[in-house]
């Protein structure tokens, strides 16, 4: 793809995102039926679940590209893994905060050491660890962080199936496929929107990671050549 | 003869059925609907309400449908948690995008500075 085409695609996707945010809010608040158990509080669900899906997608991207990096040592794989790792922390934080608010509305408590909540917190902390190792680990920390990302990816099935393995307060995984009518439309449009948003953010962050790498390399070359002090 | 036997047999069977029916009716008397409990304190309470006009008005006010509608509205349209959750989503997301933008600006500025330094060093 040429640079111009890529820019057009990026701007189109950003515009789609802006429209999508307005559209999903309209669907969630005006078209989706009021839930019989949680009433208005159920509206939190549409962005909470979409962000959880994106967190899983980001962790998987980070894990897969970390595995590629460990095998092939290609810096471009490492850049993608780092970008996805940061996004996993962002989406995970959104999920934890909105989930906590949901918990207060539904169960009258901000937090419970429930299996789903605890395994998700561990996954998020692992990704926070990944970013911290990348940020402050120094030389060689990229490989250590890559191992951590692979470990986090392996943890995803445990998080997903935790509601089936243990008795939990958290709703079952069958809730999303069983949605009907306006709720279904609001849910899947939110997932679609956050998928586009995730791809956009990933692209921006990869560009930043590449620029950082280029800057470091240029600085080292200039120092070696004695052009700068 | 046969006709007479049939007549007496029919008569006897009818009498038996009538007897059985009356017994069954006596065995299962029709159930009266249970009387609702009436408090012996009613008269006293009514008298107290008649004396205390404020209490009486308060009770009447709490029985208005609009009061119940407002309470139901508090539960069904509890905006507080929804606003908190959506605000959290926007703050975190916009915050991340702004940080990303600042980081990119810093990188571009550093690259420009490095290029200038290199160009200056090359001239010397």
């Amino acid at each position: 793809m040429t640079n111009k085409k890529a820019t057009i695609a990026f701007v189109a996707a950003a515009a789609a995102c802006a429209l999508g945010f307005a559209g999903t809010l309209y669907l969630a608040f005006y078209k989706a039926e009021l839930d019989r158990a949680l009433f208005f509080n159920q509206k939190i669900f549409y962005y909470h679940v979409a962000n959880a899906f994106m967190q899983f997608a980001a962790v998987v991207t980070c894990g897969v590209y970390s595995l590629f990096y460990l095998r092939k040592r290609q810096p471009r794989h490492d850049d993608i893994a780092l970008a996805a790792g940061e996004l996993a922390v962002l989406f995970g934080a959104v999920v934890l905060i909105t989930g906590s608010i949901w918990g207060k509305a539904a169960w009258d408590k901000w937090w419970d050491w429930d299996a789903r909540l605890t395994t998700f917190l561990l996954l998020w902390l692992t990704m926070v660890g990944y970013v911290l190792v990348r940020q402050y680990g120094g030389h060689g920390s990229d490989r250590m962080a890559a191992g951590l990302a692979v470990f986090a990816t392996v943890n995803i099935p445990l998080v997903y199936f935790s509601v089936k393995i243990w008795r939990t307060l958290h709703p079952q995984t069958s809730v999303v496929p069983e949605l009907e009518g306006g709720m279904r439309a609001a849910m899947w449009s939110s997932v679609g929107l956050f998928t586009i948003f995730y791809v956009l953010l990933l692209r921006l962050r990869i560009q930043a990671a590449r620029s950082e790498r280029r800057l470091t390399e240029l600085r080292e070359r200039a120092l070696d050549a004695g052009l700068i002090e | 003869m046969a006709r007479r036997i049939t007549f007496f047999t029919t008569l006897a069977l009818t009498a038996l059925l009538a007897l059985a029916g009356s017994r069954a009716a006596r065995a299962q008397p029709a159930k009266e609907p249970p009387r609702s409990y009436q408090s012996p304190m009613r008269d006293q309470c009514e008298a107290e309400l008649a004396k205390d006009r404020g209490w009486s008005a308060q009770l009447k006010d709490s029985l208005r449908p609009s009061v119940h509608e407002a309470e139901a509205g508090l539960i069904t349209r509890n905006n507080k948690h929804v606003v908190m959750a959506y605000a959290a989503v926007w703050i975190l997301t916009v915050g991340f995008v702004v940080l990303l933008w600042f980081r990119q600006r810093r990188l571009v500025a550093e690259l420009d500075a490095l290029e200038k330094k290199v160009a200056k060093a090359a001239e010397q």
Side-chain angles (χ1 to χ4, degrees):
Chain A
M1 203 186 271
T2 61
N3 203 23
K4 196 181 174 187
K5 275 186 183 174
T7 310
I8 291 169
F10 183 81
V11 172
C17 257
L19 281 175
F21 274 115
T24 50
L25 288 176
Y26 173 73
L27 286 173
F29 286 94
Y30 293 99
K31 286 286 167 187
E33 299 83 2
L34 210 56
D35 183 70
R36 283 177 197 165
L38 274 170
F39 303 107
F40 199 65
N41 289 314
Q42 189 263 355
K43 307 284 181 198
I44 299 169
F45 172 83
Y46 302 111
Y47 274 19
H48 171 76
V49 176
N51 273 279
F53 285 176
M54 290 313 111
Q55 205 263 357
F56 285 168
V59 174
V60 170
T61 310
C62 183
V64 168
Y65 278 95
S66 293
L67 205 61
F68 286 162
Y69 179 66
L70 287 173
R71 285 179 68 87
K72 296 181 179 174
R73 298 291 154 87
Q74 294 276 339
R76 63 195 170 98
H77 292 150
D78 190 41
D79 291 340
I80 298 171
L82 176 62
E86 278 189 13
L87 289 177
V89 173
L90 168 75
F91 288 120
V94 171
V95 173
L96 283 170
I97 293 171
T98 54
S100 179
I101 297 166
W102 165 284
K104 182 64 185 166
W107 316 319
D108 198 28
K109 48 181 160 180
W110 296 103
W111 182 261
D112 188 84
W113 292 104
D114 162 284
R116 167 59 74 86
L117 274 65
T118 310
T119 50
F120 190 88
L121 178 69
L122 286 174
L123 176 66
W124 184 72
L125 287 173
T126 312
M127 292 317 293
V128 171
Y130 171 88
V131 172
L132 289 175
V133 168
R134 291 303 305 257
Q135 190 75 28
Y136 304 107
H139 186 70
S141 62
D142 46 357
R143 276 170 285 160
M144 194 199 294
L148 207 57
V150 174
F151 170 74
T153 309
V154 174
N155 193 22
I156 285 182
L158 185 72
V159 179
Y160 186 77
F161 291 110
S162 59
V163 286
K164 289 180 189 281
I165 300 168
W166 295 286
R167 288 179 68 186
T168 62
L169 273 173
H170 193 278
Q172 292 289 312
T173 49
S174 58
V175 171
V176 175
E178 283 171 4
L179 288 174
E180 285 177 358
M183 286 183 175
R184 189 183 176 85
M187 178 70 238
W188 290 111
S189 60
S190 292
V191 173
L193 163 74
F194 275 95
T195 308
I196 300 171
F197 191 55
Y198 163 62
V199 172
L200 274 177
L201 286 181
L202 187 67
R203 221 195 119 188
L204 278 174
R205 185 62 191 91
I206 291 168
Q207 273 182 349
R210 283 181 184 159
S211 299
E212 275 170 16
R213 190 179 291 279
R214 199 168 142 248
L215 181 68
T216 311
E217 283 169 3
L218 279 174
R219 196 176 279 146
E220 279 171 7
R221 273 190 209 165
L223 276 170
D224 289 347
L227 293 172
I228 57 167
E229 289 173 1
Chain B
M1 186 67 184
R3 262 189 187 178
R4 197 174 276 180
I5 291 170
T6 313
F7 173 74
F8 280 116
T9 312
T10 311
L11 196 70
L13 278 171
T14 311
L16 273 171
L17 277 171
L19 191 71
S22 67
R23 283 208 171 174
R26 251 183 284 156
Q28 290 177 338
K31 278 184 184 171
E32 279 182 23
R35 279 189 181 178
S36 60
Y37 172 75
Q38 290 202 339
S39 170
M41 304 288 281
R42 269 188 178 205
D43 292 340
Q44 194 184 341
C45 203
E46 275 169 13
E48 287 297 315
L49 276 168
K51 278 188 234 165
D52 189 343
R53 292 287 172 197
W55 184 29
S56 175
Q58 206 179 339
L59 272 178
K60 276 180 189 164
D61 193 53
S62 70
L63 293 171
R64 276 189 299 120
S66 58
V67 172
H68 296 284
E69 278 164 19
E71 276 177 9
L74 275 180
I75 300 165
T76 55
R77 304 214 44 95
N78 172 15
N79 298 341
K80 193 177 83 179
H81 293 105
V82 178
V83 169
M84 280 164 72
Y86 277 84
V89 172
W90 289 110
I91 290 167
L92 284 172
T93 311
V94 172
F96 183 82
V97 172
V98 168
L99 279 177
L100 208 58
W101 186 65
F102 275 118
R103 187 186 282 180
Q104 194 65 29
R105 269 187 64 182
R106 182 182 52 83
L107 282 170
V108 169
E110 279 184 34
L111 269 170
D112 284 347
L114 189 65
E115 275 173 7
K116 276 178 191 166
K117 270 185 189 174
V118 170
K120 200 177 171 184
E123 274 174 18
Q124 286 172 353

